[in-house]
Amino acid sequence: MSNGNKNALILSGGGARAAYQVGVLKALTEILPGSAHNPFPIICGTSAGAINALYIASHPGTLRESVLQLENLWRSLMPDLIYKTSAAALIKSLSRLGFSLLNEGVGRNRPLSLLDNSPLRQLLHDCIRFEGIDDCIAAGDLEAVSITATGYTTGQSVSFFQAAPGIRGWQRHRRIGTPVALTLEHLMASSAIPTIFPAVKLNREYFGDGALRQTAPISPALHLGANRLFIIGVSSNRNPEQWVRRQPLRHSPSMAQIMGQLFSSAFIDALEGDIEHMERINELLALIPDKLRDASGLQLRPVESMIISPSEAVDKIAGRKIRYLSSSLRLALRTVGATAKGGGATAASYLLFAPAFCGALIDLGYKDTMWERSTIEHFFQLHNCQRDDAYA
């Protein structure tokens, strides 16, 4: 980008909901010139968004080529490619949880979890070429890629980043950025949904899903040098039509409905709150004349952003697609109320790695982005934004 402007791509977490991001990126590749390489020198991802982020950041070709391959991957996903779905595997996991009660609630040989995600480890090992990150940095197509995980001992939100020389780490209250050579272990840690997937040990601490304590999801991109943000969310909460939506009260909340709210608070609320905070700062700065702001030594500058999020309720889509899961998974989800009738379709949406659901989200992301085509074209033509160091 000219004039020192740097676009950052921010991909939030959300389990299977991250398929929506692929649809957005697919539309973006049709809006931008077909021969364009990665238009985002800085890429930041969390949880399932980290998987998409590293896939793009490590791909040697154009953005269109990498997104096409990523779309093929998501459309072919099945639950048994992410976690073991057999009744025997589910019973084994529950047995390990039961036996942990005899060991002060601690797993004896491996971290405890409701599901075994070893298939995901093999899938990511086969699909992501981690050494390609350095190749893209050396070629000048990428400056930095960051993925975030949460430390279960310290409670810190740690952004592990791989970057060009000269980009330093940072430390804020309960969130730090540290330079590393990103590996499969970092990615497994970032995408380890709390209680669902096992924690991953990195150095001397166990880490889990990065969305768990990520209070400022936008911050890593700004610390890495971005001055314009392209943000892809995975909830429809920013749609005004959802603000007045009320569901009739039919029963007390199921366990899955409660878990769905907990997951949403981790995967969705922090990003939406950070976006609102950024927009408020932009509005306040717009009221201060540039001369007065410069004379006062105020370091704040507006942050330009483009935000794409679902126009339809993802939990409703999930409620219609649960039937595509295996019988053992459907039984397990029905038992805890993770169905449309039980009010827990939100929780199910994070684990619904099925072609019918992922494909529907990809198509929705593509449609939502094409609706914003003129705005996106304008966003990529802006050349007068400055960096907000203080907000970082």
Side-chain angles (χ1 to χ4, degrees), residues 15-343:
R17 287 171 174 244
Y20 178 83
Q21 299 168 353
V22 181
V24 174
L25 293 171
K26 177 183 178 181
L28 186 62
T29 63
E30 296 185 13
I31 295 172
L32 297 176
S35 60
H37 278 251
N38 179 15
F40 303 105
I42 297 168
I43 303 175
C44 300
T46 301
S47 190
I51 296 175
N52 291 337
L54 286 191
Y55 193 99
I56 294 171
S58 62
H59 195 278
T62 65
L63 180 65
R64 179 170 296 182
E65 292 170 343
S66 63
V67 171
L68 177 61
Q69 294 180 20
L70 187 59
E71 179 189 7
N72 291 337
L73 174 63
W74 274 95
R75 287 192 183 273
S76 63
L77 281 182
M78 297 293 291
D80 55 8
L81 292 176
I82 307 299
Y83 47 85
K84 294 183 178 180
T85 62
S86 67
L90 295 176
I91 293 173
K92 183 178 180 180
S93 294
L94 291 176
S95 299
R96 292 186 69 254
L97 289 174
F99 283 123
S100 71
L101 298 177
L102 304 177
N103 191 39
E104 299 183 0
V106 178
R108 291 184 181 276
N109 300 317
R110 52 169 291 181
L112 297 173
S113 64
L114 292 174
L115 297 175
D116 181 350
N117 65 342
S118 54
L120 174 62
R121 175 181 290 275
Q122 186 61 49
L123 177 68
L124 296 180
H125 176 271
D126 296 339
C127 292
I128 297 180
R129 180 175 166 268
F130 288 89
E131 59 271 23
I133 298 174
D134 268 341
D135 296 339
C136 291
I137 292 175
D141 296 328
L142 181 72
E143 289 194 15
V145 57
S146 166
I147 63 175
T148 301
T150 300
Y152 280 125
T153 300
T154 63
Q156 286 186 321
S157 175
V158 182
S159 295
F160 299 99
F161 67 90
Q162 191 166 338
I167 299 180
R168 298 182 178 180
W170 62 88
Q171 183 166 4
R172 296 291 187 270
H173 179 64
R174 289 203 174 278
R175 52 189 174 94
I176 64 175
T178 181
V180 297
L182 291 171
T183 67
L184 177 60
E185 299 305 309
H186 295 98
L187 190 51
M188 291 298 294
S190 180
S191 57
I193 301 175
T195 72
I196 304 298
F197 295 152
V200 177
K201 189 175 183 180
L202 298 173
N203 298 324
R204 293 173 293 177
E205 185 174 6
Y206 280 96
F207 286 82
D209 198 293
L212 191 59
R213 296 294 296 271
Q214 193 177 30
T215 58
I218 293 174
S219 175
L222 300 177
H223 280 293
L224 293 172
N227 50 22
R228 295 197 297 172
L229 310 177
F230 192 89
I231 304 170
I232 308 178
V234 294
S235 91
S236 58
N237 291 345
R238 289 179 59 84
N239 182 353
E241 294 181 2
Q242 303 296 325
W243 299 349
V244 295
R245 187 181 61 164
R246 293 292 184 271
Q247 296 291 342
L249 183 63
R250 296 192 181 98
H251 48 71
S252 62
S254 65
M255 290 302 297
Q257 189 171 2
I258 296 172
M259 287 299 297
Q261 293 298 333
L262 292 175
F263 285 163
S264 294
S265 68
F267 292 116
I268 295 171
D269 293 353
L271 176 62
E272 293 178 344
D274 211 18
I275 290 172
E276 184 178 22
H277 179 55
M278 177 187 68
E279 291 174 341
R280 290 279 182 88
I281 290 179
N282 285 342
E283 291 172 359
L284 289 173
L285 291 175
L287 301 175
I288 305 175
D290 291 342
K291 291 184 178 180
L292 180 60
R293 189 169 59 201
D294 294 339
S296 66
L298 188 65
Q299 297 299 313
L300 290 171
R301 292 294 184 271
V303 176
E304 192 72 27
S305 65
M306 177 75 201
I307 303 159
I308 304 289
S309 58
S311 60
E312 301 177 20
V314 176
D315 53 351
K316 285 189 174 182
I317 300 175
R320 298 193 297 266
K321 306 298 182 182
I322 291 177
R323 66 182 186 272
Y324 293 101
L325 294 175
S326 66
S327 57
S328 59
L329 275 176
R330 290 201 308 271
L331 176 61
L333 292 175
R334 190 182 306 115
T335 301
V336 296
T339 61
K341 182 179 179 180

